[in-house]
Amino acid sequence: MKLLFCVEFYYPSIGGAQEVVRQLGERLAARGHEVTVASTALLERTQGSHNGVRILSFNVSGNLVHGLVGEVERYRSFLASSDYDCVLFYAAQQWTFDAAWAVLDQIKSTKVFVPCGYSALYRREYAGYFKELPEILGRFDAIVYHAQKYRDIDFARKYNLENGVVIPNAADSEEFSVQKSPAFRDSIDADEDTIIILTVGSLNGFKGHLEIALAYEKMYLDGRKSILILNGNIPTSSKLRPPVWGRLMNVLRRHTLANILLLIWRKALCAPKADAGILINDLAEKVNSTTKTKKILVLDMPRSSLIQAYLNADLFVFASKIEYSPLVLFEACAAGLPFVSVPVGNAAEIVEWTNAGEICDARIDDQGFTHPSPESLARHIESTLSNADRLLKMKISGLEASKTRFNWNAVSHEYERLFQSLLSKKSSNFYSSGQS
């Protein structure tokens, strides 16, 4: 098959959407399919291909609500004239999907869309976007959901859309099959009895690093030595920097004065604090200098070291404010690492699927953002770490779930079968209609 995947950011950018599309693209390319990715032009991207996947870069940013900027027409012309067997768009509310609305009917390929949770579904400025969306979704041959229970699939049910299929996220089980190295604990000054707590996520202010650090400060572990690792990368940005005036004009064209004021208010309410990184570092310095048995490490480890962190840690903790289907929870399973998560995205469903973790209750506001209490999170972590039998059961269950179901080899085969079945159905319909 000749496949095109459209995603806002791609290699060498790091993030959940990037990883999903990279895993699928590279595995399908290795099976002999011709795979191309259309994505945002990045300053650090120096080659037009990676591991058998061709990368086409477009200098575009934005979305339909806040405005599309850059080579929008070049991208649309590319889609309209393309001859791929199947085109997959990964995630709503970003330019590679939104810019395609205008040319969907001109795309001859089989069309598949992965919504990724509709993070802006409850935001008033997106009301028009989601009013139009059901008709757009009806033009796709298939919609892939990563969860049985979340706002995107519930949206489809509300509008009686019947072109959906559920394919979960996963982890690279081969990547986690390496031997656990004691050198990792040595590198962070942790002996065999030291409790290691790990969290992983981009340092964008939404991934709960500060909340976990605050919970860790409140934890009591019977005097045992412990280390909290807060690992994260700085998010990648595109080459294109939309002019402030251009963005302002887009907002003025699309919104009334009342809605503009509401936009400003919601930005102030929902956006992560600009000084979150400073607060985390200050808290780490305070804990490290005043507590003999606790240490906080704020790191951005290379992947090989991060794998060892997963394998050596005792508990993974996840307190993100907004998510869809967190890859890091599947990675914890692949590493045999029990996890505690707040009820974000479909984390509770992942617990049901894998029996590898627990959910700590947290408040969810009317915008869908999760707000954990550091006190409650601290008590839940303490309770989990104190139950050795429960930890062992979660470790075994997670490993088994990863090996049998939630690994990229198995999941990429599901996508492959979906594409093939859609093409077969399209071919059958073509010939049954008498065309040749």
Side-chain angles (χ1 to χ4, degrees):
M1 292 182 290
K2 190 177 180 182
L3 307 172
L4 173 66
F5 295 163
C6 302
V7 62
E8 183 177 20
F9 293 110
Y10 190 68
Y11 180 88
S13 175
I14 297 172
Q18 299 92 307
E19 179 67 6
V20 173
V21 175
R22 186 185 70 81
Q23 288 284 352
L24 296 179
E26 292 181 8
R27 289 171 188 274
L28 290 171
R31 292 183 203 140
H33 302 292
E34 183 180 330
V35 182
T36 300
V37 169
S39 188
T40 304
L42 301 175
L43 292 169
E44 61 269 40
R45 183 180 297 132
T46 58
Q47 296 180 327
S49 65
H50 180 72
N51 289 348
V53 176
R54 182 188 180 205
I55 306 172
L56 296 180
S57 297
F58 293 85
N59 216 4
V60 185
S61 71
N63 63 25
L64 282 175
V65 174
H66 296 114
L68 294 163
V69 181
E71 301 175 319
V72 180
E73 290 309 315
R74 173 179 166 241
Y75 174 67
R76 286 172 172 163
S77 295
F78 161 72
L79 291 178
S81 61
S82 64
D83 62 348
Y84 295 92
D85 294 312
C86 182
V87 178
L88 179 143
F89 298 90
Y90 199 86
Q93 306 157 195
Q94 53 81 29
W95 72 264
T96 66
F97 173 63
D98 289 7
W101 288 23
V103 294
L104 277 179
D105 292 339
Q106 298 175 48
I107 300 173
K108 303 177 182 66
S109 315
T110 294
K111 295 182 284 292
V112 177
F113 173 50
V114 187
C116 290
Y118 303 144
S119 62
L121 181 60
Y122 306 131
R123 290 166 58 179
R124 188 176 297 180
E125 66 267 30
Y126 278 83
Y129 182 95
F130 287 105
K131 184 177 181 180
E132 293 182 55
L133 190 61
E135 190 275 330
I136 296 295
L137 297 182
R139 299 192 213 174
F140 281 82
D141 297 281
I143 312 293
V144 176
Y145 303 98
H146 294 327
Q148 289 276 10
K149 308 169 186 175
Y150 200 59
R151 64 181 74 166
D152 55 354
I153 197 167
D154 290 341
F155 184 88
R157 290 167 179 147
K158 177 181 178 180
Y159 290 98
N160 299 313
L161 298 170
E162 299 180 352
N163 54 348
V165 58
V166 176
I167 301 179
N169 273 335
D172 187 346
S173 55
E174 297 97 332
E175 187 179 33
F176 287 90
S177 65
V178 297
Q179 288 293 316
K180 173 181 173 181
S181 172
F184 177 81
R185 282 184 171 256
D186 292 340
S187 71
I188 60 171
D189 193 27
D191 58 29
E192 291 183 0
D193 296 323
T194 300
I195 298 171
I196 298 178
I197 300 168
L198 173 67
T199 193
V200 177
S202 295
L203 293 171
N204 58 14
F206 282 108
K207 296 298 184 179
H209 292 79
L210 180 59
E211 288 75 11
I212 293 172
L214 289 169
Y216 179 67
E217 184 186 25
K218 298 175 180 295
M219 284 172 52
Y220 177 71
L221 296 171
D222 295 322
R224 291 181 62 186
K225 183 180 176 182
S226 62
I227 295 175
L228 170 64
I229 299 176
L230 304 172
N231 190 83
N233 64 290
I234 298 174
T236 305
S237 58
S238 69
K239 284 182 177 180
L240 188 64
R241 303 292 185 184
V244 173
W245 178 248
R247 296 189 68 183
L248 177 60
M249 291 305 297
N250 276 322
V251 171
L252 291 173
R253 280 196 297 267
R254 291 175 176 274
H255 301 286
T256 65
L257 177 60
N259 276 348
I260 291 171
L261 292 174
L262 182 67
L263 272 170
I264 295 170
W265 180 79
R266 290 204 190 283
K267 281 284 186 183
L269 180 69
C270 299
K273 300 299 183 183
D275 58 353
I278 296 173
L279 292 174
I280 291 170
N281 286 321
D282 286 349
L283 182 56
E285 184 177 346
K286 175 187 173 184
V287 169
N288 295 346
S289 62
T290 62
T291 310
K292 292 183 179 179
T293 58
K294 290 182 180 179
K295 182 164 63 175
I296 297 177
L297 299 178
V298 184
L299 304 173
D300 182 9
M301 289 179 277
R303 187 64 180 175
S304 58
S305 297
L306 183 57
I307 297 299
Q308 285 300 324
Y310 273 104
L311 295 173
N312 278 273
D314 298 283
L315 187 69
F316 188 90
V317 180
F318 195 57
S320 183
K321 292 178 174 63
I322 188 77
E323 287 290 329
Y324 179 34
S325 189
L327 296 185
V328 290
L329 299 186
F330 293 104
E331 291 184 344
C333 291
L337 178 60
F339 65 84
V340 168
S341 175
V342 297
V344 65
N346 76 326
E349 190 171 37
I350 295 172
V351 169
E352 294 177 10
W353 288 343
T354 67
N355 293 312
E358 296 179 350
I359 297 297
C360 175
D361 288 340
R363 179 177 67 87
I364 301 175
D365 66 24
D366 62 356
Q367 298 299 301
F369 287 88
T370 303
H371 302 275
S373 158
E375 184 75 30
S376 296
L377 189 56
R379 301 291 83 81
H380 200 119
I381 293 170
E382 290 170 358
S383 175
T384 304
L385 286 170
S386 68
N387 191 335
D389 289 342
R390 173 68 177 144
L391 287 171
L392 180 59
K393 289 178 181 178
M394 289 194 292
K395 173 186 177 74
I396 295 171
S397 295
L399 284 169
E400 180 64 20
S402 182
K403 289 177 181 177
T404 58
R405 177 74 174 87
F406 303 103
N407 62 80
W408 286 122
N409 188 51
V411 166
S412 63
H413 276 291
E414 290 192 48
Y415 279 91
E416 186 177 34
R417 287 192 292 269
L418 172 64
F419 298 153
Q420 290 171 336
S421 67
L422 292 173
L423 288 171
S424 177
K425 180 180 179 181
K426 184 176 182 180
S427 177
S428 175
N429 289 341
F430 179 82
Y431 286 107
S432 65
S433 66
Q435 301 181 66
S436 60

